[in-house]
Amino acid sequence: MLRLWGYSRRYLSRYLLGGVCLVLTASLAMSIPYFLKLAVEAIESGRPFTDIASFAALIAGIAVVQAIVRTLSRALIFNVGRDVECDLRNDLFAHLERLPVAYYQHQHTGDLMSRLINDVTAIRMLLGVGFLNLLNTPIYYAYGLTIMLALHAPLTIAALLPFPILLYVVKRVSRRMMEQTLRVQEELSNLSSAVQENVAGIHVVRAYQAEDVAVRRFARSNDALTDESLSLARVRGQLGPIMRTASGLGTLVVLCFGGTEVVRGKMSVGDLVAFIGYLNLLAWPTMAMGWMLSVVQRGRAAMLRLEQIFSVEPAITDAADADATPAARIEGAIEYQNVCFSYANGDTRSLVIDDVSFRLEPGQKLAIVGRTGAGKTSLVNLLPRMFDVTAGQILIDGRDVRSLPLRQLRSAIGFVPQDPFLFSTRIEDNVAFAIDDAGNGYAERDRRVREAAAAAGIATEIEGFPRGYETVIGERGVTLSGGQKQRLTLARALAASPRILVLDDALSSVDTRTERGILGALRAELQGKSSIFIAHRLSTVMDADLIVVLDEGRIVERGDHASLLRRDGYYAQLFREQQLEESLETS
Ligand code: M5T
Ligand code: MG
């Protein structure tokens, strides 16, 4: 809630102005029953028709002015809600962008989306409608009660007798409402997750004819949401009748008690009319208060859920003592020293990387091979600090990666992930994604994009598309083949001219001949750059300066191609198998 104050403070002047309009609206509204009283008194004393008509005209005039001021107050205060909603959503997104990769491994996309959309909307309601009524109700009460007390004090007290009971009931109902609201928001998140996962995995759903299962599962989730929403509506629905009963009871008391007072001549008819007028004026703010309680509870529930996101620290950030002055250029010497790593933080029994050390000079090529699940991807993910090491350290140019500014570290590394991801924009933008535009013109950008595409062996295919580099890739790149996607992600990494290039099995989906072509083109691109290749196909890695064989997170063999063949271990065996396969294919 403190955070919300920080946001609304920016718009304090509008809140204040809106508040002034509210006071003005209330003043005008409160004057109407008074003039009504004067009109009744005029009728009683038999004054001419023109007098009465002028009262009527006055009341109508006040009503018009009141309507205008009222609208103004709504515009001012509701818009604060809209603006805070916008700011909050921007900040949430910016925060999400800085959260560690590890965070997303435990989150559902649909849930995050639901929070960013539904919960932020609840905040808008809280700061707009909620805040307005929070201000309006006390104003009305202060005004109305003062006047009513002046008109007839005992009658006022009698009319308000049901209110304490009312307050107690409302408090109890609103607590249940808060709990129920949280449940509804959770179900909404579940539903979003269900939709998101089914759309993302539509191919799998189709392939296994799991549509019916998906539909049934969705219906269950949907039913759950409906049930919870209905429960909430039931709880919320209790408020209105409670409020109306209270104000009805008030009117009943006034009519009985006030009527006797008039008959006994202790109160004028005009006063009674005005009194009922004021009681009616208070009825709406009282009901609004009940409704506002639900808005406040929803807002609080939503803020709790947003706070859960805000409270996650962007775990991997620049160290406090990170060198502010970026080192001249990164040369690209890479050294792993006794690196251990586990996904379960701090748990040393489940090490995925276990005591790995090696050293790579600038411009050299390292190859990592090993059976699936050996920890190859995990090992290279540590370099750009997607995760931080559990023990040991990783040095680039002799400096711990954790002491380098993240910007500098990550922009020095071109990373081609094992699972290619492309944005649903133009090919051009996808390839130029990592290019630091500053200072370079369009022509330079274009040149880099085309160069990178050529080196990644995809240029001719792109030019063959009817719209060339302008081709828009469908969501998740579905209009491209697996190999095309892989080569585009390679082009994206190359376009930024990184000092260090990491290819995580990046050519697995292309055939051997295409691969040979790409490797040839890459050789020029890689001149003087350090590179790490993960590959299952040994033809990719034969020429590496250092080859390490990883097994269960440990390096079990190391050396260059020739020395590993002499060792006659896993690598040599794999090489012979693959050679045999190849000769069978060509024969
Ligand atoms: C090594 C586990 C995985 C495996 C081991 C990416 C990732 C992996 N793992 C996690 O627990 N969480 C994760 O986020 O770590 O996995 P790898 O590093 O992905 O292995 P690989 O790259 O050598 O395998 P492959 O199939 O890509 O050749 O036990 O469960
Ligand atoms: Mg992998």
Side-chain angles (χ1 to χ4, degrees), residues 81-101:
R82 296 251 174 218
D83 285 334
V84 171
E85 178 189 28
C86 181
D87 294 352
L88 189 63
R89 201 172 275 145
N90 276 339
D91 287 357
L92 260 175
F93 184 75
H95 182 72
L96 280 178
E97 289 288 287
R98 282 186 294 130
L99 291 186
V101 177

Side-chain angles (χ1 to χ4, degrees), residues 373 376-378 418 504-505 534:
K376 305 180 291 295
T377 300
S378 309
Q418 186 167 18
D504 189 351
D505 220 1
I534 294 177

Side-chain angles (χ1 to χ4, degrees), residues 164-446:
I165 313 165
L166 180 78
L167 266 181
Y168 172 73
V169 178
V170 165
K171 241 192 92 182
R172 285 199 44 182
V173 172
S174 72
R175 218 202 26 240
R176 285 197 29 222
M177 213 148 64
M178 160 92 169
E179 293 160 3
Q180 195 55 38
T181 305
L182 266 176
R183 262 178 243 141
V184 169
Q185 304 285 76
E186 262 156 39
E187 288 302 337
L188 212 54
S189 289
N190 289 343
L191 200 69
S192 312
S193 297
V195 174
Q196 191 268 334
E197 287 199 351
N198 270 291
V199 171
I202 191 68
H203 290 300
V204 185
V205 174
R206 284 285 147 76
Y208 290 92
Q209 294 167 12
E211 291 93 342
D212 292 343
V213 181
V215 167
R216 270 202 302 279
R217 207 173 285 158
F218 182 83
R220 256 206 305 281
S221 185
N222 201 8
D223 281 346
L225 173 65
T226 311
D227 285 348
E228 298 294 356
S229 303
L230 278 178
S231 296
L232 178 61
R234 268 195 291 276
V235 181
R236 193 186 287 159
Q238 290 170 6
L239 276 177
I242 293 174
M243 295 290 176
R244 263 190 289 277
T245 311
S247 86
L249 276 178
T251 314
L252 195 72
V253 170
V254 170
L255 270 180
C256 294
F257 185 31
T260 350
E261 290 283 283
V262 173
V263 172
R264 281 162 51 194
K266 292 206 172 147
M267 192 181 186
S268 71
V269 177
D271 278 355
L272 185 64
V273 168
F275 202 92
I276 293 177
Y278 285 117
L279 201 63
N280 278 336
L281 272 184
L282 288 193
W284 165 242
T286 311
M287 271 186 265
M289 178 138 99
W291 181 68
M292 184 199 75
L293 280 172
S294 82
V295 170
V296 171
Q297 299 305 352
R298 239 190 106 188
R300 269 185 52 193
M303 204 54 215
L304 278 179
R305 282 160 52 85
L306 295 182
E307 209 54 61
Q308 286 170 351
I309 300 181
F310 273 125
S311 65
V312 182
E313 294 288 327
I316 296 185
T317 48
D318 284 337
D321 55 349
D323 297 308
T325 48
R329 232 155 71 99
I330 283 187
E331 290 300 324
I334 301 169
E335 186 169 6
Y336 275 52
Q337 288 181 347
N338 309 100
V339 170
C340 296
F341 174 67
S342 151
Y343 283 100
N345 228 334
D347 186 354
T348 45
R349 280 163 306 165
S350 56
L351 283 182
V352 171
I353 300 298
D354 190 358
D355 198 22
V356 166
S357 303
F358 61 79
R359 185 179 162 77
L360 199 67
E361 299 305 331
Q364 281 191 329
K365 171 173 173 177
L366 167 75
I368 306 174
V369 294
R371 62 177 115 245
T372 168
K376 305 180 291 295
T377 300
S378 309
L379 188 67
V380 292
N381 269 341
L382 299 174
L383 191 63
R385 293 186 69 199
M386 290 301 150
F387 300 88
D388 269 337
V389 296
T390 308
Q393 56 178 348
I394 300 174
L395 308 172
I396 289 184
D397 294 348
R399 297 203 310 170
D400 193 314
V401 286
R402 284 167 296 187
S403 75
L404 285 168
L406 266 184
R407 269 197 89 78
Q408 195 194 5
L409 171 71
R410 290 190 179 152
S411 62
I413 300 172
F415 205 99
V416 188
Q418 186 167 18
D419 182 15
F421 179 85
L422 296 166
F423 293 93
S424 37
T425 55
R426 303 179 310 159
I427 288 184
E428 159 111 45
D429 297 327
N430 265 293
V431 178
F433 189 69
I435 296 182
D436 193 3
D437 281 302
N440 301 326
Y442 258 127
E444 168 68 11
R445 190 179 119 125
D446 265 14

Side-chain angles (χ1 to χ4, degrees), residues 11-23 70-84 124-136 139:
Y11 305 102
L12 208 57
S13 56
R14 269 196 270 158
Y15 262 160
L16 284 177
L17 210 62
V20 171
C21 287
L22 280 183
V23 174
R70 188 172 181 276
T71 310
L72 202 62
S73 70
R74 264 58 177 177
L76 282 164
I77 293 179
F78 289 177
N79 284 355
V80 175
R82 296 251 174 218
D83 285 334
V84 171
R124 177 189 82 212
M125 301 279 283
L126 172 67
L127 293 182
V129 189
F131 182 78
L132 184 128
N133 285 301
L134 196 69
L135 239 109
N136 206 29
I139 295 176

